[in-house]
Amino acid sequence: MQFVKQVSLIVLGLILSTFFFSCNTGNSKEKKDSMKNSASYLSDLSDKSGFETTVDGKKTDLYILKNKNGAMATFTNYGGRIVSLLVPGKNDSLMNVVCGFKSVEDYQKSTEPYYGATIGRYGNRIAKGKFSLDGKQYSLFLNNGQNTLHGGKKGFQYQVWDAVQPDSNSVVFTRISTDMEEGYPGNLKVKVTYTLNNDNGLEMEYEATTDKNTVVNLTNHAYFNLNGEGSGTILNHEVKIFANSYTPIDSTLIPTGKIEPVANTPFDFRDFHTIGSRINDDNVQLKNGKGYDINLVLDSAKNDSLHLAAKVIGDQSGIEMTIYTDQPGLQFYSGNFMAGKNMFNNGIKDDFRTAFAMETQHYPDSPNEPSFPTTVLKPGEKYHSKSVYVFSVKK
Ligand code: GLA
């Protein structure tokens, strides 16, 4: 009798716990919220197992940077990518503000190739995949309609970089992009140094040299959500961009060659605006970009020392990102092509406009626009550029 009682109690317990468990999983918002910052997810971000593999005969790995405030950034040499960036939020709890995947395989399978990647040899678009240098015309692979985007078919995002980690704050990626790789002339020696400094700033420093005249435009394509990776729309993020003008584009997102004032356009972010407040305005440039996908001409464009480029604030987290760069332009992209086809680190899909990019760089199609700052690099010259993304919490 005693035994029968015990068995029925156990069965009752099982039924009740199954009932409560299914009620909980039914609440997907709560589940998402608890997943996006759960301790297990944050510690999973330093799990190297998905990154220790071989691509094109070269070893890939995950590199972990930490600073003295407990901030952490992870990188993989597959594409020279930033995989995650944990910065202190309110109450000093860490939050991952960069979207990424849990394995090299996920990056290879992704329908969006550029998550967190180092972009080159020429970041952004080159019209019809053609440019001339010293009287000779060069043709590139057309991977974006009739244009070339972010380097071509196998841009820097799909290359395995050599990596060294000189200290716990930085990782250095190097590679030689050989003469005519993806159609660009000259052997280009490239070095990218990512440093997580003790002011919670992520420094990105690019250096390159060539043995023939070529064009170079290097950047990083991190996708940010300052409310935390996978935490829903970025439309309520507040944005300020230190730019009085922008480069209007045609329907294929190639600049028309004009530089126009942002005044009285939805590209005027000289005061804070949410990303969403004007994104559906009746504006041909917004229609061309399917949202924000535009190059802003930074105010200090002619000054090649670090200058303030933009500030973005996560509406829920209060995390503020301040961007400094020595580059003349900033491509602001509001995640318009994100379509929920890939799964982030924390198991949440990359839905429409759940992340944005702010790529510090030269203007798109500069090789074909003589009036834009030059992107030509010659033998004996040194390409050098630096951007810093600093994170703090708005009280
Ligand atoms: C850049 C481009 C966008 C888009 C993204 C990646 O930001 O300007 O049009 O291609 O890269 O999808």
Side-chain angles (χ1 to χ4, degrees):
M1 198 55 201
Q2 190 62 18
F3 173 72
V4 173
K5 253 190 189 168
Q6 271 176 0
V7 170
S8 15
L9 274 176
I10 291 170
V11 170
L12 186 69
L14 278 175
I15 292 172
L16 283 175
S17 58
T18 312
F19 174 71
F20 282 120
F21 181 71
S22 54
C23 285
N24 273 337
T25 52
N27 187 339
S28 72
K29 167 135 188 3
E30 262 175 30
K31 191 181 158 206
K32 270 190 181 177
D33 284 352
S34 64
M35 272 166 69
K36 81 180 183 220
N37 275 314
S38 70
S40 69
Y41 150 58
L42 294 178
S43 74
D44 279 356
L45 292 175
S46 47
D47 179 0
K48 293 183 164 209
S49 55
F51 293 90
E52 292 167 329
T53 180
T54 304
V55 178
D56 297 339
K58 293 185 185 147
K59 286 221 170 336
T60 60
D61 209 336
L62 186 76
Y63 300 85
I64 301 171
L65 313 187
K66 288 192 174 150
N67 74 5
K68 68 169 197 231
N69 312 318
M72 178 176 103
T74 64
F75 290 81
T76 177
N77 58 328
Y78 178 64
R81 293 172 198 258
I82 169 167
V83 174
S84 68
L85 175 61
L86 277 79
V87 294
K90 283 180 186 151
N91 313 319
D92 287 337
S93 57
L94 291 179
M95 183 169 266
N96 180 23
V97 293
V98 167
C99 302
F101 299 139
K102 59 179 171 9
S103 65
V104 164
E105 196 191 344
D106 283 359
Y107 283 106
Q108 289 173 312
K109 285 192 317 209
S110 175
T111 55
E112 159 59 50
Y114 309 114
Y115 276 113
T118 298
I119 304 291
R121 181 178 303 199
Y122 193 91
N124 218 309
R125 290 175 176 79
I126 294 185
K128 303 201 168 69
K130 290 200 185 333
F131 66 94
S132 294
L133 212 51
D134 309 317
K136 195 169 169 217
Q137 196 179 66
Y138 294 91
S139 293
L140 312 168
F141 184 80
L142 306 180
N143 61 337
N144 191 245
Q146 59 181 44
N147 303 318
T148 299
L149 175 65
H150 295 331
K153 187 175 188 183
K154 188 170 179 182
F156 287 6
Q157 80 281 3
Y158 287 140
Q159 306 284 352
V160 181
W161 295 65
D162 294 325
V164 286
Q165 201 171 349
D167 52 53
S168 59
N169 290 100
S170 49
V171 61
V172 181
F173 295 127
T174 51
R175 70 177 297 266
I176 296 176
S177 168
T178 51
D179 188 21
M180 295 312 287
E181 178 184 277
E182 285 298 322
Y184 299 91
N187 290 296
L188 189 79
K189 278 192 187 166
V190 193
K191 177 176 173 188
V192 187
T193 307
Y194 291 105
T195 303
L196 182 61
N197 69 30
N198 287 327
D199 298 318
N200 294 340
L202 182 63
E203 302 178 10
M204 307 178 182
E205 192 166 12
Y206 306 85
E207 290 159 85
T209 53
T210 183
D211 59 3
K212 280 186 192 157
N213 288 2
T214 190
V215 293
V216 188
N217 188 25
L218 304 176
T219 189
N220 177 282
H221 208 309
Y223 277 76
F224 298 97
N225 185 323
L226 302 182
N227 293 329
E229 178 191 51
S231 62
T233 182
I234 42 86
L235 292 182
N236 300 318
H237 280 53
E238 298 267 353
V239 170
K240 181 168 182 165
I241 303 177
F242 296 81
N244 280 302
S245 42
Y246 74 113
T247 53
I249 42 173
D250 67 15
S251 62
T252 72
L253 279 66
I254 294 293
T256 60
K258 290 190 187 131
I259 292 185
E260 287 184 359
V262 292
N264 305 314
T265 75
F267 307 107
D268 187 352
F269 283 98
R270 291 172 298 175
D271 291 320
F272 274 106
H273 288 275
T274 61
I275 297 176
S277 58
R278 298 166 297 171
I279 202 166
N280 295 318
D281 279 11
D282 189 14
N283 172 287
V284 68
Q285 302 295 318
L286 280 176
K287 297 228 159 70
N288 287 342
K290 302 192 168 44
Y292 288 104
D293 197 349
I294 198 81
N295 169 61
L296 281 304
V297 174
L298 295 171
D299 288 346
S300 320
K302 290 192 185 74
N303 168 358
D304 62 3
S305 59
L306 276 187
H307 49 262
L308 197 52
K311 283 175 179 280
V312 188
I313 303 170
D315 52 299
Q316 293 165 34
S317 65
I319 292 178
E320 180 168 41
M321 175 171 83
T322 306
I323 305 174
Y324 301 87
T325 187
D326 58 11
Q327 292 297 284
L330 179 80
Q331 183 80 15
F332 172 34
Y333 168 62
S334 53
N336 313 313
F337 300 120
M338 298 174 77
K341 293 197 176 133
N342 312 291
M343 203 182 273
F344 292 140
N345 274 309
N346 55 2
I348 295 176
K349 288 206 168 120
D350 62 344
D351 286 329
F352 185 54
R353 294 182 179 156
T354 55
F356 65 93
M358 290 224 171
E359 306 150 53
T360 51
Q361 55 186 230
H362 270 256
Y363 310 160
D365 201 30
S366 297
N368 293 309
E369 283 296 348
S371 65
F372 289 176
T374 183
T375 50
V376 174
L377 182 72
K378 298 180 175 159
E381 294 176 350
K382 193 159 186 185
Y383 172 97
H384 180 263
S385 97
K386 186 167 179 178
S387 299
V388 188
Y389 293 64
V390 183
F391 296 83
S392 59
V393 187
K394 194 116 182 113
K395 301 286 175 206

mmCIF file of all heavy atoms in Angstrom, residues 112-114 124-125 144 149-150 221 223 253 293 331 333 337 357 359, ligand 1:
data_model
loop_
_atom_site.group_PDB
_atom_site.id
_atom_site.type_symbol
_atom_site.label_atom_id
_atom_site.label_comp_id
_atom_site.label_asym_id
_atom_site.label_seq_id
_atom_site.Cartn_x
_atom_site.Cartn_y
_atom_site.Cartn_z
ATOM 1 N N GLU A 112 23.828 35.561 -44.944
ATOM 2 C CA GLU A 112 24.455 36.895 -44.884
ATOM 3 C C GLU A 112 25.945 36.673 -44.596
ATOM 4 O O GLU A 112 26.299 36.160 -43.534
ATOM 5 C CB GLU A 112 23.778 37.712 -43.773
ATOM 6 C CG GLU A 112 24.569 38.885 -43.231
ATOM 7 C CD GLU A 112 24.930 39.910 -44.288
ATOM 8 O OE1 GLU A 112 24.054 40.343 -45.030
ATOM 9 O OE2 GLU A 112 26.123 40.267 -44.365
ATOM 10 N N PRO A 113 26.812 37.015 -45.552
ATOM 11 C CA PRO A 113 28.227 36.635 -45.415
ATOM 12 C C PRO A 113 29.063 37.489 -44.465
ATOM 13 O O PRO A 113 30.173 37.120 -44.117
ATOM 14 C CB PRO A 113 28.784 36.825 -46.826
ATOM 15 C CG PRO A 113 27.661 37.218 -47.704
ATOM 16 C CD PRO A 113 26.512 37.643 -46.836
ATOM 17 N N TYR A 114 28.561 38.668 -44.084
ATOM 18 C CA TYR A 114 29.461 39.680 -43.519
ATOM 19 C C TYR A 114 29.420 39.838 -42.011
ATOM 20 O O TYR A 114 30.049 40.743 -41.468
ATOM 21 C CB TYR A 114 29.177 41.029 -44.189
ATOM 22 C CG TYR A 114 29.184 40.935 -45.691
ATOM 23 C CD1 TYR A 114 28.022 41.137 -46.425
ATOM 24 C CD2 TYR A 114 30.350 40.594 -46.377
ATOM 25 C CE1 TYR A 114 28.022 41.015 -47.810
ATOM 26 C CE2 TYR A 114 30.356 40.468 -47.762
ATOM 27 C CZ TYR A 114 29.182 40.679 -48.470
ATOM 28 O OH TYR A 114 29.184 40.550 -49.827
ATOM 29 N N ASN A 124 32.337 48.016 -49.456
ATOM 30 C CA ASN A 124 31.233 48.696 -50.133
ATOM 31 C C ASN A 124 31.255 48.448 -51.658
ATOM 32 O O ASN A 124 31.961 47.562 -52.123
ATOM 33 C CB ASN A 124 31.195 50.184 -49.787
ATOM 34 C CG ASN A 124 29.753 50.672 -49.630
ATOM 35 O OD1 ASN A 124 28.928 50.440 -50.504
ATOM 36 N ND2 ASN A 124 29.471 51.311 -48.520
ATOM 37 N N ARG A 125 30.493 49.232 -52.402
ATOM 38 C CA ARG A 125 30.214 48.878 -53.799
ATOM 39 C C ARG A 125 31.161 49.541 -54.804
ATOM 40 O O ARG A 125 31.585 50.677 -54.599
ATOM 41 C CB ARG A 125 28.769 49.265 -54.149
ATOM 42 C CG ARG A 125 27.770 48.382 -53.433
ATOM 43 C CD ARG A 125 26.329 48.797 -53.663
ATOM 44 N NE ARG A 125 25.435 47.833 -53.027
ATOM 45 C CZ ARG A 125 25.184 47.821 -51.711
ATOM 46 N NH1 ARG A 125 25.734 48.699 -50.900
ATOM 47 N NH2 ARG A 125 24.385 46.890 -51.203
ATOM 48 N N ASN A 144 26.532 41.622 -56.466
ATOM 49 C CA ASN A 144 25.448 42.417 -55.901
ATOM 50 C C ASN A 144 24.707 43.060 -57.081
ATOM 51 O O ASN A 144 24.952 44.206 -57.408
ATOM 52 C CB ASN A 144 26.048 43.479 -54.960
ATOM 53 C CG ASN A 144 25.003 44.172 -54.123
ATOM 54 O OD1 ASN A 144 24.787 45.362 -54.258
ATOM 55 N ND2 ASN A 144 24.329 43.441 -53.265
ATOM 56 N N LEU A 149 30.246 44.049 -54.402
ATOM 57 C CA LEU A 149 30.066 44.489 -53.008
ATOM 58 C C LEU A 149 31.109 43.815 -52.119
ATOM 59 O O LEU A 149 31.328 42.604 -52.217
ATOM 60 C CB LEU A 149 28.655 44.110 -52.527
ATOM 61 C CG LEU A 149 28.332 44.385 -51.050
ATOM 62 C CD1 LEU A 149 28.350 45.880 -50.741
ATOM 63 C CD2 LEU A 149 26.980 43.792 -50.675
ATOM 64 N N HIS A 150 31.734 44.628 -51.250
ATOM 65 C CA HIS A 150 32.604 44.111 -50.191
ATOM 66 C C HIS A 150 33.653 43.118 -50.685
ATOM 67 O O HIS A 150 33.841 42.044 -50.113
ATOM 68 C CB HIS A 150 31.763 43.459 -49.090
ATOM 69 C CG HIS A 150 30.880 44.423 -48.346
ATOM 70 N ND1 HIS A 150 31.187 45.736 -48.184
ATOM 71 C CD2 HIS A 150 29.688 44.232 -47.716
ATOM 72 C CE1 HIS A 150 30.229 46.335 -47.481
ATOM 73 N NE2 HIS A 150 29.302 45.457 -47.192
ATOM 74 N N HIS A 221 32.463 44.758 -40.454
ATOM 75 C CA HIS A 221 31.005 44.732 -40.636
ATOM 76 C C HIS A 221 30.299 44.125 -39.420
ATOM 77 O O HIS A 221 29.491 43.203 -39.572
ATOM 78 C CB HIS A 221 30.644 43.982 -41.923
ATOM 79 C CG HIS A 221 29.362 44.429 -42.539
ATOM 80 N ND1 HIS A 221 28.179 44.534 -41.831
ATOM 81 C CD2 HIS A 221 29.079 44.836 -43.801
ATOM 82 C CE1 HIS A 221 27.229 44.953 -42.637
ATOM 83 N NE2 HIS A 221 27.751 45.153 -43.844
ATOM 84 N N TYR A 223 27.554 43.675 -36.736
ATOM 85 C CA TYR A 223 26.121 43.958 -36.618
ATOM 86 C C TYR A 223 25.838 44.162 -35.135
ATOM 87 O O TYR A 223 26.004 43.243 -34.333
ATOM 88 C CB TYR A 223 25.295 42.770 -37.109
ATOM 89 C CG TYR A 223 25.100 42.716 -38.598
ATOM 90 C CD1 TYR A 223 26.125 42.311 -39.449
ATOM 91 C CD2 TYR A 223 23.874 43.047 -39.165
ATOM 92 C CE1 TYR A 223 25.923 42.246 -40.818
ATOM 93 C CE2 TYR A 223 23.670 42.976 -40.539
ATOM 94 C CZ TYR A 223 24.688 42.584 -41.352
ATOM 95 O OH TYR A 223 24.496 42.514 -42.712
ATOM 96 N N LEU A 253 22.260 51.398 -55.441
ATOM 97 C CA LEU A 253 23.040 51.819 -54.259
ATOM 98 C C LEU A 253 24.441 52.327 -54.599
ATOM 99 O O LEU A 253 25.346 52.309 -53.763
ATOM 100 C CB LEU A 253 23.096 50.705 -53.191
ATOM 101 C CG LEU A 253 21.863 50.598 -52.295
ATOM 102 C CD1 LEU A 253 20.616 50.177 -53.062
ATOM 103 C CD2 LEU A 253 22.093 49.627 -51.171
ATOM 104 N N ASP A 293 20.709 52.682 -45.766
ATOM 105 C CA ASP A 293 21.863 51.976 -46.338
ATOM 106 C C ASP A 293 22.618 53.043 -47.117
ATOM 107 O O ASP A 293 22.548 53.122 -48.335
ATOM 108 C CB ASP A 293 21.394 50.821 -47.241
ATOM 109 C CG ASP A 293 22.518 49.819 -47.507
ATOM 110 O OD1 ASP A 293 23.678 50.130 -47.178
ATOM 111 O OD2 ASP A 293 22.229 48.731 -48.040
ATOM 112 N N GLN A 331 29.122 54.195 -43.376
ATOM 113 C CA GLN A 331 27.972 53.534 -43.991
ATOM 114 C C GLN A 331 27.040 53.101 -42.872
ATOM 115 O O GLN A 331 27.401 52.306 -42.009
ATOM 116 C CB GLN A 331 28.435 52.313 -44.809
ATOM 117 C CG GLN A 331 27.308 51.595 -45.542
ATOM 118 C CD GLN A 331 26.893 52.284 -46.842
ATOM 119 O OE1 GLN A 331 27.607 53.149 -47.352
ATOM 120 N NE2 GLN A 331 25.740 51.913 -47.388
ATOM 121 N N TYR A 333 23.748 51.189 -42.017
ATOM 122 C CA TYR A 333 22.885 50.151 -42.614
ATOM 123 C C TYR A 333 21.958 49.620 -41.531
ATOM 124 O O TYR A 333 22.432 49.176 -40.475
ATOM 125 C CB TYR A 333 23.797 49.047 -43.188
ATOM 126 C CG TYR A 333 23.071 47.780 -43.585
ATOM 127 C CD1 TYR A 333 22.096 47.793 -44.578
ATOM 128 C CD2 TYR A 333 23.363 46.557 -42.967
ATOM 129 C CE1 TYR A 333 21.437 46.633 -44.931
ATOM 130 C CE2 TYR A 333 22.715 45.396 -43.327
ATOM 131 C CZ TYR A 333 21.739 45.436 -44.310
ATOM 132 O OH TYR A 333 21.089 44.299 -44.656
ATOM 133 N N PHE A 337 18.254 43.781 -45.049
ATOM 134 C CA PHE A 337 18.228 42.491 -45.751
ATOM 135 C C PHE A 337 18.183 41.317 -44.777
ATOM 136 O O PHE A 337 18.238 40.163 -45.187
ATOM 137 C CB PHE A 337 19.449 42.346 -46.677
ATOM 138 C CG PHE A 337 19.517 43.402 -47.737
ATOM 139 C CD1 PHE A 337 20.602 44.261 -47.820
ATOM 140 C CD2 PHE A 337 18.478 43.559 -48.641
ATOM 141 C CE1 PHE A 337 20.661 45.248 -48.789
ATOM 142 C CE2 PHE A 337 18.523 44.549 -49.621
ATOM 143 C CZ PHE A 337 19.611 45.395 -49.693
ATOM 144 N N ALA A 357 24.504 48.197 -38.762
ATOM 145 C CA ALA A 357 25.962 48.310 -38.933
ATOM 146 C C ALA A 357 26.321 49.777 -39.105
ATOM 147 O O ALA A 357 25.539 50.553 -39.661
ATOM 148 C CB ALA A 357 26.411 47.514 -40.153
ATOM 149 N N GLU A 359 29.690 51.233 -40.568
ATOM 150 C CA GLU A 359 30.989 50.860 -41.125
ATOM 151 C C GLU A 359 31.768 52.126 -41.451
ATOM 152 O O GLU A 359 31.374 52.889 -42.322
ATOM 153 C CB GLU A 359 30.779 50.049 -42.406
ATOM 154 C CG GLU A 359 29.880 48.848 -42.240
ATOM 155 C CD GLU A 359 29.123 48.518 -43.527
ATOM 156 O OE1 GLU A 359 29.751 48.372 -44.587
ATOM 157 O OE2 GLU A 359 27.886 48.413 -43.467
HETATM 158 C C1 GLA B 1 26.511 46.778 -46.443
HETATM 159 C C2 GLA B 1 25.744 47.190 -47.633
HETATM 160 C C3 GLA B 1 24.343 46.705 -47.526
HETATM 161 C C4 GLA B 1 24.310 45.227 -47.309
HETATM 162 C C5 GLA B 1 25.140 44.866 -46.135
HETATM 163 C C6 GLA B 1 25.250 43.393 -45.979
HETATM 164 O O1 GLA B 1 26.131 47.467 -45.333
HETATM 165 O O2 GLA B 1 25.771 48.589 -47.836
HETATM 166 O O3 GLA B 1 23.637 47.022 -48.682
HETATM 167 O O4 GLA B 1 24.806 44.594 -48.442
HETATM 168 O O5 GLA B 1 26.430 45.392 -46.281
HETATM 169 O O6 GLA B 1 24.111 42.695 -46.299
#
